[in-house]
Structure formats: structure tokens, C-alpha cells
Amino acid sequence: MKVKVLSRNPDDYIRDTKTEFHKVTRNYSKEVHPFEEQREYVRALNATKIERMFAKPLIGDLSGHKDGISCIAKHPTQLSTLVTGSFDGDVCVWNLPTRKCMKSLNAHDGFVRGIVFSTDGDRFLSVGDDKAIKVWTTNTYDMDDEEDDNAPINTILSKTVLTSITHHRRDPIFATCGEMCQLWEESRNEPLKSLQWGSDSIHHIQFNLVENNLLAACTSSRSIILYDRREGKPLRKVVMSMRPNYLAWNPMEAFTFTVANEDYNSYTFDTRNLNLPRKIHENHVAAVTCVDYAPTGKEFVSGSYDKTIRIYDVEKTNSREIYHTKRQQHITAVAWSSDNKYIYSGSDEMNIRIWKANASEKLGPVSSMIYNYYFIHVLITYPFYIHHNS
Amino acid sequence: MEDTIKVDKDDKKQFKKKFSKYEKFTAKSNFERKPLKLQSLDLEDHQLKKYERGSGKINKNKIRTGFFKNKLFEQEKNFQYAVEQAARAEILLNEDSGYLMADDGEETTEFTQDDIKQHVDITSAAKSFKLNLDFGPYNINYTRNGRHLVIGGKKGHLAAFDWISKKLYCEFNVMEEIMDVKWLHLETMFAVAQKKWVHFYDNKGTEIHCIKKMNEVNQLEFLPYHFLLASGSDNGWLKWLDVSIGEMVAQFPSLDDRITLMRHNPGNATISVGSAKGIVSFWSPAVHRKPLATILCHVAPITAMAFNSDGSKLATAGMDKLVKLWDTRSFKEPLTQYKTKAIVHNIALSQRNVMALAIGDKCEIFRTVGTGNIQSIDSYLKHSENSSISSIQYVPYEDILGIGTKNGFSSILVPGCGEANFDTLEQNPFRTKQQRREHEVKALLEKIPSDLITLDASQIVNVDIEHLEEKLDKKPEVQIPISKLNEKKTSKRSGVDNAKIKQLQKAEEKQHLLKAAKQEEFIEVRKQKKIKRNADTDDSDTNVLDRFRKKSKK
């Protein structure tokens, strides 16, 4: 008689040491894989739903303002600092990791119209309805020592109404707008230059981040005007069918900017061809009030009067994401954090909310194993990494 | 001794034969220095067929556009490539299945367990063992990876253990009658049908749940891919419990007053109930109170039935002393039938379709021979216990048959009954705790909804032709919104308004009619053009040099 009985040697199936991978034997025959089609169907269904299932976008809020938020400014070098202004003239400096207000300043009489950081982030400038440009220090360490700390470093009184402010990316130069566009240097109390096109008032202005002498402004006569700091006259003008509320330059492409419009849409323009917008972003059901670009330049966030925030791909008409909560009122200001991870939104009901830019992303400390893995990976690819840093 | 040496030699020969192709191939590729471009092994048709998923090639002539023709052609190529790759991977399989061959003048049925034990290695011989227990008759159940065993005696004795290493997990008496035992999705939990209710225990013997909704249960079945525990009770009710969320999925009475025999089809997860009238009925939790199908299998009460591991075959036995083998896709007539001397009380089918019949205290084992619809069964082994057999089950991925008897439990060697090569990602007898946990999470993520349980499991990938045809038939008609045309006049509207509406309706109607007329006209013109073109091509005298003539623009 010839006989053979299945007898497996465990050594063929069990790994020898814990550092090895588990041994895997495959058998692709149908009999060993029951319900292939149905399981694949469930898998496919899960794959399409899993991002939605884990979506949990709201992280928290910053409360402390006593009136609706009017503007938000990101720190150019620190991820943990945020400055906001409100409709009652208060300005707050926030520490984001602790979500605490580090400094509350009674800055202006009436609305705070705009806040902007200087190039190094040591100071920030604010403009308000009281025609004043105030320069403040960001430093919050010796707050209790002197009472003067709550006073501005410098106050410039403008002759005209101020509605918005923007700072040059490198030079100590900033621009304000109102009845006209004015260029200022930080060390002087008089404007360097005044630029005007027609007689309409300008309600928002923004420096280009790449071609950093370029400026774009929204006017109340439904037009967008482009300025160059080096020229004596405005460059170009686009007239839209309804009022543009806000605009943001793409931080990666010098020639694109997106306009939040009163007609419920956002428009992405190419400065080389202003006849037609490159893309019209739809979906909002009320006037779009504010936009901000992601640092990657691939996406932007828009806030609207319809109490929602939407995230758009620059190349797409429809939004990829909509964020809203029960108590959130009309959005007045949005900002996308410099690390591309968070979105800040300020709204009418005095609250600043912190959202994830990617709703289903898992936040929290990186586990030591993954960290070690990355560290080893870095060491392999860049053997002198530690040496250079130490 | 001589025999064993021979076997070794044979093994080597087989090995050489199997890998010779591979060796040639590697040597060649090394020589030519083309390691990336694999040269095709000679794959035979039956090898390829084994890995084919779904049949049928696309009829290219039926596809109208070149775009889709290309697309489907590319798709087809990819499918074919996948099948080939799977077939090629066959040479990587570790194990060969077992066998038992008689020499001249001998018959395999003559060999006793002791004979087989003497001729196999020590570890295999140790897998054949016997337990003498006092609380029988015993119900047994192996886990799906074939590593763990739970036995439940009618008189309340319950024991769970790793039967290979003989490591005992728990053993106790539930002090109540035990009707059936079944492992749940993992070896950490099992369900026990006790006299009143169904209880869940973990592998340490702790009672986790008492399912009072499942009362007086005779038979339990677990559907691992759906996470459903099915029960057939003494009052004829069928119940499905989703063990992942702890909710009853469906419960309704079956055709019978009492369910004593119930099995699940591992190929499509339907529950089949064998009745005293000789009928086997198939049930799904998605279809309430109505069987998916009923088949009159025997003219006497059904005593035993079993599905094979992929659910393609069903073996039934009745009081008429007949054993019938059915194809589960067409129940017109049995593939084969076999007359026994006494009533069969238990049937088991192994992964390689070796059939075991329990007749009293004897166990007869048969091989099913033949392919497709032509099947016959050959007697293979015979074994007898010293008390009547109450339950039998083959161990997955092992050449072992487990037998629960009135006086305990025994496992016997049946060479060549188990699948030799398991898929680690599907079922792994050697898995660690970590791997088990990962497996559990993945299995839960892939849990198939209970609504998908039908007789044809692959229905989900088929095109719903009926509905599609209906849809396609509807499309070409010009649809006039009748609802708008037949809008009734309301008395509240003023005469002016009504007139306006009428006017609008008329305009709309006119437009639609115009559209329809235009479409008809267009079709007519196209037809005529086609006829004309055909006529042109037919009439002209074709010359070889015609192709150099200037083409007229049409």
C-alpha cells in the first residue's frame, strides 16, 4: 500500500523571528475563496464610503469676541498664532494649541476692517472705521508688566476712510484702500503713493504673493482693479455683473486669483486673459463673502452668507466639501492654515471655528512605531541629516 | 520499510516532474539575461479553467463603436492575464494532497486505521486519536481553519480544545441538554443550543450571551461571511441572528412543524431544511415565509444531508436507504445515487469531495469519481466505532474525519480528503493572535449584507438584462409630457389665465409633434441614403485599379 497524509511542517508557515514578515502562502483557486463577488462588492462600497464615515471636520472653536468677527490674519512664520478683529473694534491674539486668547486689544472705534502681519511677524497692523492704521506688537510675554503693552506701537491717522489693508511679502511696505489705493512704508506716516481709477470706493485689496509688487482690489462699482506698486497708474480693470466681495491670490501661481462674488459664485481669473474667468465655482446659495487659498495653491476655501464654508478644487466647478454647524451664522472671514491642515472661519455669531482641511484625516500624536519607521527612512535616504542639524 | 522508501522516491520524482519546467525556465532566463520578461509556461486548458472567474468571451461584432470595442478588448486581455498569472502561481504551492493506493490484489477498503497509522509519520499518526467520554451522544464542530474543535455531549458536557496540540481551552457541564454546538467567526467564541435557549461562550468557558429569542433550538448553523447565526427550532421556526450587532435579521416559520435537520450552503449562504416529507427546502433571510426552492429528494423522511465546501454539490440520505448526490444548480435529477444496507444518519463531504456516511456505529467513506454531470461513487474506506455515531465532520485542510459518538469522540485518518494548500489571507491554521485580530477586523469590514443571500451568489456581478431591455425599449420614443397636456382646468383661475395656459400647451404640443416629425424624417432620409449607398456599391463594376481613382466627396 502507498499512503500519504497531509502533514505540514510548521516551520514552512511560521516566521522564525519576530522581525521577519509573516509567511504568506496563496492559493488562488475558487474553492478557497467563497463569495468573491459579493465580498468585492462590499469592499468597493466601503472604499467609496470610508472617507465619509470618518469625516469629523470640526476640531474646536475660539470664543472670546463680543461681536461678530470681521477679519482673520495668519502669522507668516508661526502656526500657533492667529489674530482676529471684530465688529466692535476689538482685536484678539490667539494661541491655537491651547485655544486661548493671549491678548485682547480695544483697537478701534467701530469696525476693525483689516488686520495684516509684517514680514517677520513681530508686528501686526490693523485698520478700522476710525481712519486709523495702528501697529501692534505680537509679543505677549510681558503683558502684565506694563500697562502700555496694550497700546499700539504706532498710530497713523489717514485722511480718507480705510476699508482694507495688505502687506508686501518681503519689503516693509503695505497698502490700504478706501476712496483710493494708498501705498505706505512702515517707517513713515505719510503714504508713498496714491492710486485711483475713477471715483468708486475700494473695499478690499490684496498683494500678490509671488509677483509681489502686484496688487488686486475689489471696488464697489462691481469691478476688480489691478495695480503695480512700481507704476504710477492702475494697470487693468475687470467689470463684473455683480459686486466682488473679496479676492485671494493663488500663492503658487502668480497669475491666478479667485474672487468671491455677490452672485453666489466664486470666479477664478487668469491675469493674462481677463475677458473670461478660468473657472466659475458654484454651489453656494447666498453671496460668497470671503475666500482663502491653501498654501499648495490647488484648493481654496470660501465662506458665504448662507452660513456654510465650502472647499473647492481650483480646477473644478463644484465643491469637494461643505462644512456647517447648527449655530454657525453668516461667514465673514476664512483662512487656510500655512501647514495646509486647518481652516479657520469667523462668523457673525462671535465665534471662530477651527476645521480640518481634510475632513477624514486622523489627527493626534504619531505612534512611536510609525515615527521610528519614518526616522529610519529619513536616515537611509539622507545619511547626514542628523549631522547637519546638530 | 521498502514501501516507505518507494514512496519517498515517488515523491521525489513527482517533485522533479513538477519543477522541471520551472528549472528549465529559470536556466533559460538566466542565460538570456531577461529576468523581467517572463516566458510563458505551457499552461494547459484545465489549469487555466481552474482559475477562470466567470465564462464567456465578448462577441465583438455586437459592439458598435470602436472605442468600446477596444476598451472591452483591453479589459478581456487583463482578465486573461490575471487568470494566467494565477495558474502560473500553482508551482509555488507548498503541499501535495494525500492519497491511499492499494497494491495488486488489495483493496483500499481492507485497510484499517491501524494499518494506515503504521505507514504514516508520527505527527500524522498522532492526529488519529480517541476520547472516551460519558456524556454522549456528542455533537462536534471544527473551526474553518481546521485547528480548533468544540464537542458538546447531549448530557451537558462541553469541551473546546486545539485538537492538534491537544491543548484544552475549557471543559465544563452546562447542566442542561445540549442539542448543537457551533463555532462563531473565530476560535474565541462558540454558540451552544441548549434545551431552552442558545448560549454564547468564549473559549475560557465564560457565558457571554444568552439568546432568549432563539428558544428550543435543534440545529445551529453559522454563516461566517454574513456573520449570521441561523437556528432551526423544535416548533419549526427559522431564525437568523446577526452576531456582529446582536440583532435578529429575520424569523419566520418554515414549512415543517419541527426542524431536526438543517444545513447551510457554503457557496451561497442559503439555509436548507430537510423535512420528514422527503422535501429539502432552501431559505434566505431576505425572503420571508417563502422558500427560495423546494425539492422532493426522497419519498421517505430525510435523515441526513451535507453540502460540499464550495456548495456545488448536495448529498442527501433518506429513510428509503438511498444516498443521492445532487448538483445544487440544477435539481432535475440526482447526479448519482447509492443504496445502503441500513439507514444513513449522517453525511459529510470533504473539501476534495470525499463522502463519509455514518450508518449505525459504522462509517463508510466513498470517493466521488467523474467530472461534471457524470458522477459515480466508489467505496474507499471502512471504519467502525464501538457505539453509534451521532455527528461527523471533515477537518478543513487536513486528512482527518472527526466522529462524535455516543461514547465520546474519535478522529480518523482519511488520506486525500483535505485541501492541501490553504490561502493564508483567507484561512490560516498557523495564524498568531495578532493575525487573528487583523483577520477579524477585515472580516467585519467585508461583512456581506443579509439581503444578498440568494440561490445564485454571483448574481451581483451579472447584468440585469430584463430591466435593461425595458429601459432601452422606452428610450427612442418621443415623450410628450402628458401630465402637462391633460392638466385640468381649475375653476379658480381667471379666463385670461386659462387662455394663456391653453396657448402654452398648444405651443408645447406643436413643438413636440414637430420634433417627432423631424426625427422620423431624419430616419427616413438616413434609410434612403443607406439604400442608395448599397445600390452604388452593388452596381459599380469593381476594378482592381479603382482604389487609385480620386474619391468623390459625398
Side-chain angles (χ1 to χ4, degrees):
Chain A
M1 92 194 255
K2 288 178 198 163
V3 64
K4 191 205 163 214
V5 175
L6 277 182
S7 170
R8 296 190 184 87
N9 185 359
D11 292 344
D12 295 342
Y13 298 96
I14 300 171
R15 59 178 179 180
D16 301 328
T17 58
K18 279 198 171 175
T19 50
E20 282 175 38
F21 288 116
H22 285 288
K23 284 180 182 171
V24 175
T25 57
R26 300 302 310 270
N27 182 355
Y28 297 103
S29 69
K30 269 177 272 182
E31 288 77 18
V32 189
H33 301 274
F35 299 107
E36 262 180 332
E37 298 96 346
Q38 299 193 351
R39 280 157 75 195
E40 195 56 44
Y41 166 78
V42 173
R43 241 178 260 156
L45 211 62
N46 282 345
T48 51
K49 287 197 298 191
I50 205 143
E51 277 201 344
R52 293 284 96 205
M53 291 199 296
F54 285 106
K56 218 179 162 192
L58 183 65
I59 298 171
D61 67 323
L62 309 171
S63 59
H65 272 297
K66 292 176 206 89
D67 206 339
I69 313 299
S70 61
C71 49
I72 297 178
K74 292 181 281 187
H75 197 283
T77 54
Q78 287 173 14
L79 292 172
S80 58
T81 310
L82 194 72
V83 176
T84 56
S86 77
F87 290 138
D88 61 357
D90 278 3
V91 168
C92 281
V93 182
W94 302 92
N95 184 344
L96 288 169
T98 57
R99 290 180 213 162
K100 271 182 188 150
C101 179
M102 303 305 286
K103 210 180 199 178
S104 183
L105 308 162
N106 196 355
H108 295 279
D109 288 337
F111 288 12
V112 179
R113 287 292 180 178
I115 300 177
V116 84
F117 271 98
S118 62
T119 311
D120 51 7
D122 284 350
R123 279 155 289 126
F124 63 88
L125 299 88
S126 66
V127 292
D129 273 359
D130 54 359
K131 293 186 185 177
I133 306 166
K134 289 185 179 177
V135 186
W136 311 82
T137 171
T138 322
N139 192 356
T140 52
Y141 300 121
D142 44 6
M143 198 173 147
D144 300 327
D145 295 353
E146 295 171 43
E147 274 182 25
D148 289 356
D149 198 57
N150 280 351
I153 299 170
N154 189 16
T155 306
I156 305 163
L157 278 174
S158 159
K159 281 167 193 155
T160 59
V161 177
L162 299 170
T163 50
S164 176
I165 185 167
T166 178
H167 199 283
H168 191 276
R169 191 160 192 181
R170 300 232 170 71
D171 302 343
I173 282 174
F174 61 90
T176 59
C177 62
E179 288 160 31
M180 62 186 92
C181 169
Q182 286 175 317
L183 282 164
W184 307 72
E185 196 173 354
E186 278 188 35
S187 53
R188 297 189 190 184
N189 283 354
E190 289 296 320
L192 293 175
K193 208 182 268 182
S194 295
L195 300 159
Q196 204 164 9
W197 187 324
S199 59
D200 30 287
S201 64
I202 305 168
H203 57 262
H204 182 246
I205 192 161
Q206 189 100 53
F207 259 113
N208 191 328
L209 297 165
V210 188
E211 278 302 328
N212 41 31
N213 289 318
L214 214 59
L215 283 149
C218 305
T219 69
S220 49
S221 65
R222 315 185 327 262
S223 59
I224 303 156
I225 303 175
L226 297 180
Y227 301 97
D228 194 319
R229 154 165 103 89
R230 296 159 299 192
E231 305 251 340
K233 277 189 217 161
L235 294 177
R236 252 180 280 176
K237 191 173 180 179
V238 192
V239 183
M240 305 190 71
S241 55
M242 280 183 90
R243 190 183 109 125
N245 282 328
Y246 203 91
L247 66 79
W249 285 98
N250 190 322
M252 299 306 276
E253 284 177 356
F255 47 83
T256 38
F257 64 91
T258 299
V259 180
N261 205 298
E262 194 74 14
D263 63 359
Y264 306 1
N265 295 336
S266 307
Y267 297 85
T268 298
F269 278 101
D270 191 326
T271 45
R272 297 167 300 185
N273 180 18
L274 288 167
N275 295 336
L276 270 177
R278 204 168 94 184
K279 204 81 204 173
I280 302 171
H281 309 280
E282 293 166 358
N283 288 151
H284 273 303
V285 291
V288 189
T289 51
C290 44
V291 285
D292 193 28
Y293 260 96
T296 58
K298 302 258 186 226
E299 288 175 320
F300 70 86
V301 58
S302 68
S304 160
Y305 211 67
D306 64 7
K307 305 175 188 177
T308 62
I309 300 164
R310 279 180 186 271
I311 301 171
Y312 291 89
D313 194 310
V314 181
E315 304 294 339
K316 285 188 181 139
T317 305
N318 295 319
S319 67
R320 121 174 122 77
E321 198 85 68
I322 174 169
Y323 292 164
H324 60 94
T325 68
K326 220 192 250 171
R327 295 190 186 86
Q328 181 164 283
Q329 291 300 316
H330 316 302
I331 309 295
T332 48
V334 286
W336 197 311
S337 78
S338 309
D339 59 351
N340 198 23
K341 271 192 158 176
Y342 309 101
I343 287 167
Y344 314 114
S345 74
S347 46
D348 257 1
E349 88 310 338
M350 305 182 271
N351 225 341
I352 300 148
R353 289 189 172 76
I354 308 170
W355 309 83
K356 285 183 213 166
N358 180 4
S360 56
E361 189 184 13
K362 193 175 173 264
L363 297 179
V366 183
S367 85
S368 61
M369 222 176 114
I370 298 172
Y371 180 77
N372 284 342
Y373 175 77
Y374 282 122
F375 194 64
I376 289 162
H377 187 75
V378 165
L379 273 187
I380 291 164
T381 37
Y382 308 104
F384 304 110
Y385 178 76
I386 292 179
H387 186 72
H388 280 303
N389 280 331
S390 61
Chain B
M1 278 303 282
E2 271 183 18
D3 281 343
T4 52
I5 290 162
K6 254 188 199 170
V7 168
D8 276 359
K9 269 186 184 169
D10 271 2
D11 260 357
K12 266 185 189 168
K13 256 186 201 170
Q14 272 196 341
F15 181 82
K16 259 199 170 173
K17 209 174 164 188
K18 198 171 172 186
F19 284 90
S20 58
K21 276 180 195 170
Y22 185 65
E23 272 169 15
K24 247 188 239 165
F25 150 69
T26 48
K28 211 175 179 184
S29 65
N30 277 340
F31 181 66
E32 287 176 354
R33 301 245 168 177
K34 273 184 186 171
L36 276 176
K37 200 178 174 188
L38 295 170
Q39 299 188 350
S40 67
L41 286 170
D42 301 328
L43 293 166
E44 284 161 27
D45 277 352
H46 72 269
Q47 270 177 308
L48 286 175
K49 206 164 189 184
K50 197 175 161 189
Y51 297 98
E52 260 172 20
R53 307 299 205 253
S55 61
K57 284 194 176 164
I58 301 154
N59 187 353
K60 266 184 157 186
N61 298 331
K62 283 196 174 176
I63 308 164
R64 280 184 201 156
T65 59
F67 175 78
F68 281 107
K69 218 177 254 185
N70 280 340
K71 197 178 166 187
L72 290 168
F73 182 66
E74 282 299 311
Q75 227 170 41
E76 196 70 9
K77 235 163 73 181
N78 285 342
F79 290 152
Q80 192 58 31
Y81 179 73
V83 171
E84 267 171 33
Q85 291 306 305
R88 287 165 74 103
E90 212 172 67
I91 52 170
L92 299 172
L93 296 178
N94 288 3
E95 309 277 343
D96 288 325
S97 48
Y99 51 82
L100 174 67
M101 278 186 264
D103 294 334
D104 291 341
E106 281 180 331
E107 294 246 355
T108 50
T109 43
E110 291 169 18
F111 302 134
T112 61
Q113 278 299 304
D114 289 338
D115 293 337
I116 296 171
K117 259 195 202 175
Q118 276 171 12
H119 284 86
V120 295
D121 54 318
I122 306 167
T123 46
S124 298
K127 285 177 186 170
S128 168
F129 63 98
K130 197 164 188 172
L131 302 172
N132 288 321
L133 304 162
D134 303 328
F135 300 93
Y138 277 89
N139 265 308
I140 63 165
N141 188 234
Y142 288 99
T143 51
R144 279 183 300 145
N145 62 7
R147 187 72 197 230
H148 312 274
L149 172 67
V150 60
I151 56 172
K154 192 114 186 166
K155 288 172 194 148
H157 177 221
L158 204 58
F161 52 99
D162 179 343
W163 66 273
I164 294 174
S165 64
K166 313 282 190 300
K167 189 187 156 202
L168 187 68
Y169 299 138
C170 67
E171 186 182 20
F172 58 101
N173 200 311
V174 296
M175 309 306 281
E176 206 176 20
E177 202 174 340
I178 289 178
M179 314 305 287
D180 205 355
V181 285
K182 279 276 151 20
W183 285 105
L184 296 184
H185 59 288
L186 288 182
E187 57 265 29
T188 50
M189 266 186 278
F190 55 89
V192 181
Q194 294 176 12
K195 196 180 181 206
K196 257 190 165 170
W197 300 306
V198 172
H199 297 253
F200 285 7
Y201 297 93
D202 73 354
N203 63 355
K204 290 194 176 69
T206 319
E207 187 183 317
I208 309 171
H209 296 293
C210 171
I211 317 293
K212 291 192 177 172
K213 280 180 183 168
M214 287 180 157
N215 55 328
E216 292 173 18
V217 170
N218 279 335
Q219 298 269 291
L220 282 177
E221 281 294 326
F222 184 67
L223 316 173
Y225 294 100
H226 302 75
F227 282 83
L228 292 179
L229 182 75
S231 72
S233 61
D234 215 34
N235 53 14
W237 276 64
L238 280 166
K239 290 175 187 183
W240 282 266
L241 175 81
D242 190 326
V243 297
S244 62
I245 53 172
E247 268 175 25
M248 294 303 269
V249 170
Q251 43 185 334
F252 46 81
S254 69
L255 299 176
D256 310 298
D257 300 334
R258 192 163 178 262
I259 295 171
T260 50
L261 183 62
M262 185 180 92
R263 294 284 179 269
H264 88 273
N265 183 338
N268 59 19
T270 53
I271 291 288
S272 61
V273 175
S275 77
K277 292 165 196 158
I279 292 169
V280 174
S281 51
F282 296 86
W283 302 84
S284 155
V287 184
H288 281 246
R289 287 166 189 266
K290 238 174 104 182
L292 300 170
T294 53
I295 289 100
L296 180 68
C297 290
H298 295 266
V299 288
I302 290 171
T303 53
M305 60 182 177
F307 286 95
N308 73 340
S309 63
D310 64 342
S312 63
K313 291 194 186 72
L314 168 69
T316 58
M319 285 290 222
D320 53 3
K321 296 177 195 170
L322 279 174
V323 176
K324 290 181 182 176
L325 194 65
W326 305 82
D327 185 340
T328 48
R329 282 158 296 187
S330 63
F331 277 104
K332 275 176 196 162
E333 50 185 30
L335 297 171
T336 182
Q337 61 180 33
Y338 178 80
K339 181 96 179 164
T340 54
K341 280 171 193 161
I343 294 162
V344 176
H345 286 289
N346 265 301
I347 303 184
L349 278 169
S350 83
Q351 283 173 320
R352 298 187 71 222
N353 292 328
V354 177
M355 186 162 68
L357 306 177
I359 305 165
D361 60 352
K362 286 189 180 59
C363 186
E364 286 188 36
I365 293 157
F366 296 85
R367 271 189 297 201
T368 53
V369 186
T371 52
N373 286 347
I374 309 139
Q375 296 265 350
S376 64
I377 49 179
D378 282 358
S379 198
Y380 185 44
L381 280 174
K382 277 177 183 162
H383 174 76
S384 68
E385 290 286 326
N386 46 19
S387 60
S388 67
I389 294 168
S390 52
S391 121
I392 53 174
Q393 195 194 348
Y394 279 105
V395 187
Y397 309 109
E398 290 281 355
D399 282 347
I400 305 286
L401 174 69
I403 302 172
T405 64
K406 202 180 168 190
N407 286 351
F409 168 82
S410 64
S411 74
I412 61 167
L413 292 169
V414 182
C417 71
E419 172 64 48
N421 295 290
F422 55 81
D423 191 319
T424 317
L425 304 185
E426 196 78 41
Q427 286 305 329
N428 182 5
F430 297 100
R431 71 182 168 204
T432 59
K433 200 174 177 182
Q434 194 63 39
Q435 280 176 308
R436 189 188 73 207
R437 285 176 180 164
E438 265 171 41
H439 173 83
E440 184 178 22
V441 172
K442 274 180 190 154
L444 276 166
L445 279 173
E446 283 170 22
K447 188 179 93 169
I448 304 167
S450 60
D451 313 350
L452 294 181
I453 299 178
T454 50
L455 280 177
D456 182 11
S458 63
Q459 204 179 21
I460 199 155
V461 290
N462 293 341
V463 179
D464 187 0
I465 293 169
E466 247 176 58
H467 283 99
L468 191 71
E469 272 176 355
E470 244 173 59
K471 221 177 171 183
L472 287 175
D473 285 346
K474 265 185 191 172
K475 227 180 182 178
E477 287 171 19
V478 179
Q479 286 168 354
I480 300 167
I482 296 159
S483 59
K484 270 197 175 175
L485 292 178
N486 295 347
E487 212 170 314
K488 275 182 189 169
K489 289 172 198 170
T490 49
S491 56
K492 277 180 190 174
R493 278 194 198 124
S494 68
V496 182
D497 275 354
N498 273 334
K500 261 186 187 172
I501 287 168
K502 238 181 189 176
Q503 221 173 357
L504 277 172
Q505 280 176 352
K506 263 190 179 169
E508 202 176 339
E509 202 173 355
K510 209 177 170 184
Q511 232 171 17
H512 276 291
L513 288 173
L514 262 174
K515 225 182 190 177
K518 255 188 187 173
Q519 206 168 347
E520 267 173 28
E521 207 177 318
F522 179 67
I523 292 164
E524 193 66 21
V525 167
R526 225 159 125 195
K527 249 186 200 169
Q528 276 177 357
K529 261 189 187 173
K530 211 176 180 183
I531 292 164
K532 210 179 170 186
R533 210 184 296 148
N534 283 343
D536 280 354
T537 50
D538 287 346
D539 289 347
S540 60
D541 303 334
T542 47
N543 194 337
V544 188
L545 298 173
D546 275 354
R547 74 182 95 158
F548 299 112
R549 274 187 191 151
K550 255 191 180 175
K551 275 170 197 167
S552 60
K553 277 177 191 174
K554 277 178 186 176

